[in-house]
Amino acid sequence: MTVVKDVSYELVVTKDRLAIHVSNHGKPVDVAGATGKVTVLSGTKKEEAMLAPAKDALEAKGPFTTGPGTKVAAQVTLKGQATQSVRFTMK
């Protein structure tokens, strides 16, 4: 989880999907109309994908190469707000 300007971003990765859940003070943020881009850096491999609104998160379809130490950088633009840079390091 990462917090940027009082907004929490939680990264959830499965073998074929990457999702970023967004909340503000513990309450889910409506991601309708949001956009974004994600970059996954694992060792020397770099993968990029566009984020699109899903039920309760911004989502990118994979597969993605991930594991401990993988870094994920996202550019997230919520509807009507400025773009935020969000960074994660997987454990």
Side-chain angles (χ1 to χ4, degrees), residues 6-82:
D6 294 330
V7 177
S8 299
Y9 299 87
E10 182 179 6
L11 176 68
V12 177
V13 179
T14 62
K15 75 175 195 177
D16 62 349
R17 169 179 103 99
L18 182 148
I20 298 176
H21 297 269
V22 185
S23 62
N24 190 343
H25 294 90
K27 296 181 181 182
V29 171
D30 183 10
V31 294
T35 60
K37 179 181 176 181
V38 66
T39 303
V40 179
L41 302 166
S42 185
T44 60
K45 190 168 187 176
K46 178 180 178 181
E47 300 167 290
E48 295 182 326
M50 298 307 292
L51 292 166
K55 293 178 187 177
D56 61 346
L58 289 170
E59 188 174 273
K61 302 288 183 183
F64 297 100
T65 303
T66 60
T70 298
K71 296 187 184 312
V72 177
Q75 297 292 316
V76 176
T77 307
L78 299 173
K79 186 175 181 181
Q81 297 185 23

